[in-house]
Amino acid sequence: MQTKNFIGFPEQKLIAIFEELGEPGYRARQALTWVYHYGIKDFMEMTNLSKNLRTRLAERFHISLPKINKKDLSRDGTIKYLFELSDGKMIESVWMPSDSRRTLCVSSQVGCRLNCSFCMTATMGLQRNLEASEIVGQIMAVNEDLQEKDSISNIVLMGMGEPLDNYDALVDAVRIMISPEAMKISTRKVTVSTSGLVDKIKKFQEENLHVNLAISLNATENATRDVLIPINKKYPIEVLLECLRNYPLKPQRRLTFEYILLKGINDSQEDAERLVHLLKGIPCKINLIPFNPFAPSQYLPPSVETVANFQNYLIERNFTTFVRKNRGADIMGACGQLAASSQSQPVPA
Ligand code: SF4
């Protein structure tokens, strides 16, 4: 019998398998704890399960993580991991330390089919979806590679791929991340980012996962957004924002809008004014991301002064607005620069 990867396997399905085997559900939770809390990769080491059960688990499951193929260390401490998957495909994850947190940017697909014009992953096209085991596996493999003091505190699903375009695996992976028996990461520390797949956002809110949602807005007019994020033709700005106005948020929680600033494209005073108008009344914070150039992209980042003016205008209108630091740009690990099989080079700052 071909075995399944225990990593990323949904808890409810696992409980059902244990019940089929005549075992109570709490035994499934014990097995999860061995794997996710103690890092055990051999069922025979799960000493509070009967020998017979351990043998039967080993007949059905294997426990394996994506292989780290290469690590690039940035001057700013960021580490970009290149992973090799079981079929030889490559993906990247980026670990970013700061004073208060250690964030891993996780990939959800090999490539992406949404073809955003500022994004290097788009140049790969979609090669395939990741399995839940491969999404969760990036986190576990990086944690194994790091010292305990550096272990990951926050997850952002903003790496290669559109997470909501790989819906089922994404939801299974997020459930494992936040389950107390599995990775037990706080829902406040997990962020799913989307380019704005309205149908999937509506479906996702029904899952009651209550993790953070970030939206790549990046433009204030449909004509511009159509070019930057072609899925805007299907879900234009007004449809997207209507959906987000109705998105259920727990008290004290906010949506995050990501806005990549591109020189001469979406960085004008009029854009800042339109952004205020569009987001009025939505509990949110705004992350401004000066574009991280890469060859052969034609886009450029705005000047520091333009970025500061844009930010100040939003802050003065009571929007919590951050300028996201350009992490790992020297190793092509910054936002929009991930493309595991590409030869493109960073453009010197
Ligand atoms: S920005 Fe995100 S959704 Fe758009 S092409 Fe890149 S990976 Fe895909």
Side-chain angles (χ1 to χ4, degrees):
M1 182 173 29
Q2 208 187 2
T3 59
K4 293 184 187 336
N5 198 345
F6 190 90
I7 305 294
F9 195 79
E11 192 172 327
Q12 288 311 316
K13 285 190 188 166
L14 193 66
I15 291 170
I17 288 180
F18 271 63
E19 284 169 355
E20 269 171 34
L21 294 172
E23 298 284 346
Y26 75 87
R27 292 275 178 221
R29 297 196 180 96
Q30 286 176 324
L32 287 167
T33 304
W34 278 115
V35 172
Y36 292 106
H37 295 196
Y38 300 110
I40 295 295
K41 293 209 189 69
D42 181 349
F43 291 105
M44 292 308 153
E45 290 178 38
M46 300 181 179
T47 48
N48 57 358
L49 304 183
S50 71
K51 217 167 172 189
N52 179 34
L53 177 56
R54 286 184 250 167
T55 307
R56 285 188 294 169
L57 285 175
E59 286 166 3
R60 284 174 168 75
F61 291 103
H62 61 276
I63 302 172
S64 67
L65 301 178
K67 195 172 118 211
I68 297 173
N69 181 291
K70 187 166 165 256
K71 275 166 42 174
D72 289 316
L73 181 62
S74 162
R75 283 188 293 268
D76 65 19
T78 297
I79 304 174
K80 183 170 77 170
Y81 287 86
L82 178 68
F83 285 104
E84 184 175 342
L85 306 175
S86 55
D87 60 356
K89 301 263 186 224
M90 302 287 197
I91 52 164
E92 292 174 333
S93 321
V94 183
W95 177 82
M96 296 164 285
S98 70
D99 292 343
S100 58
R101 61 183 69 173
R102 291 144 331 262
T103 303
L104 189 72
C105 179
V106 172
S107 291
S108 55
Q109 297 178 309
V110 185
C112 184
R113 64 181 176 140
L114 293 199
N115 208 18
C116 301
S117 59
F118 54 85
C119 171
M120 204 161 116
T121 307
T123 61
M124 297 171 68
L126 177 63
Q127 299 187 10
R128 73 166 170 85
N129 282 328
L130 295 188
E131 308 277 339
S133 61
E134 294 165 331
I135 299 174
V136 167
Q138 294 167 63
I139 305 166
M140 296 176 74
V142 170
N143 265 340
E144 278 189 5
D145 182 64
L146 295 167
Q147 292 182 28
E148 203 172 336
K149 69 176 178 52
D150 293 329
S151 60
I152 298 158
S153 62
N154 292 56
I155 305 293
V156 292
L157 282 136
M158 290 184 192
M160 294 165 64
E162 158 60 61
L164 294 183
D165 194 36
N166 182 14
Y167 189 85
D168 293 341
L170 170 84
V171 169
D172 284 348
V174 170
R175 284 196 202 286
I176 290 289
M177 289 176 206
I178 63 177
S179 164
E181 277 74 30
M183 302 181 98
K184 55 176 182 180
I185 305 170
S186 160
T187 56
R188 292 179 171 274
K189 296 187 172 181
V190 176
T191 301
V192 172
S193 174
T194 178
S195 55
L197 306 187
V198 169
D199 292 351
K200 298 287 173 59
I201 294 172
K202 287 180 179 168
K203 194 170 168 197
F204 191 64
Q205 71 192 44
E206 303 292 321
E207 308 281 351
N208 287 325
L209 296 170
H210 300 295
V211 294
N212 302 312
L213 186 69
I215 302 94
S216 286
L217 189 61
N218 300 340
T220 58
E221 292 178 303
N222 282 322
T224 307
R225 198 165 189 269
D226 283 350
V227 174
L228 297 179
I229 307 180
I231 198 71
N232 191 68
K233 291 176 193 153
K234 183 168 180 193
Y235 303 114
I237 292 174
E238 60 281 5
V239 173
L240 173 61
L241 292 181
E242 175 63 20
C243 161
L244 296 172
R245 277 180 204 286
N246 295 313
Y247 192 82
L249 290 169
K250 290 237 173 191
Q252 316 292 327
R253 303 283 283 269
R254 293 181 286 180
L255 297 170
T256 300
F257 286 96
E258 309 280 347
Y259 194 98
I260 294 185
L261 283 163
L262 303 158
K263 183 179 179 182
I265 307 282
N266 63 0
D267 61 346
S268 68
Q269 173 67 21
E270 292 74 29
D271 280 301
E273 289 168 13
R274 279 192 294 266
L275 193 56
V276 165
H277 180 70
L278 288 170
L279 301 188
K280 208 170 166 190
I282 301 181
C284 67
K285 60 178 177 169
I286 302 167
N287 280 340
L288 300 176
I289 309 162
F291 178 64
N292 298 301
F294 60 87
S297 171
Q298 302 302 310
Y299 293 123
L300 292 170
S303 68
V304 173
E305 192 190 355
T306 303
V307 174
N309 289 343
F310 204 98
Q311 179 187 26
N312 289 337
Y313 183 85
L314 298 173
I315 289 174
E316 282 161 13
R317 270 114 198 121
N318 297 320
F319 284 94
T320 307
T321 309
F322 302 98
V323 175
R324 190 109 70 70
K325 277 192 201 155
N326 194 350
R327 304 297 305 267
D330 54 329
I331 53 168
M332 292 298 285
C335 221
Q337 289 187 326
L338 300 186
S341 62
S342 170
Q343 298 304 308
S344 293
Q345 294 297 315
V347 174

